Amino acid sequence: QNYLDNFWPDLKAAHELFDSIVQARRERESESHENHGKEYPEHLPVEVLEAGIKSGRYLQGTLNVNKHRAQLEAFVRLQGFGSKDTG
């Protein structure tokens, strides 16, 4: 803010962009505070997930994403299964 005020006081677009960034950051921080520091809200409580995994309703695994083609290639490796049993 000081830089813009001191060196670019007449550059309206830069001031508007800065204000927009500050507002977006405040909104993100307030959402993070509401979610107790978590970036994304939980879909199900931990207790429900743990019970579902124990009962066999849910499966637990690891998501692997191709860093070069993240939009196109990913797979889940299920825990307790061999490397051939992936989907």
Side-chain angles (χ1 to χ4, degrees), residues 18-76:
F18 178 79
D19 292 339
S20 174
I21 291 170
V22 169
Q23 180 180 354
R25 186 174 178 190
R26 285 183 186 146
E27 289 174 5
R28 185 173 181 183
E29 287 173 356
S30 69
E31 289 173 2
S32 177
H33 180 67
E34 290 172 3
N35 294 328
H36 306 289
K38 298 176 184 171
E39 188 171 349
Y40 300 102
E42 295 177 355
H43 294 282
L44 294 173
V46 173
E47 298 81 22
V48 173
L49 291 174
E50 289 174 347
I53 290 170
K54 286 181 182 177
S55 71
R57 182 174 183 182
Y58 301 126
L59 300 174
Q60 185 173 4
T62 304
L63 176 65
N64 295 288
V65 179
N66 183 330
K67 68 180 178 180
H68 302 290
R69 300 180 61 177
Q71 297 293 326
L72 302 173
E73 293 182 12
F75 67 93
V76 175

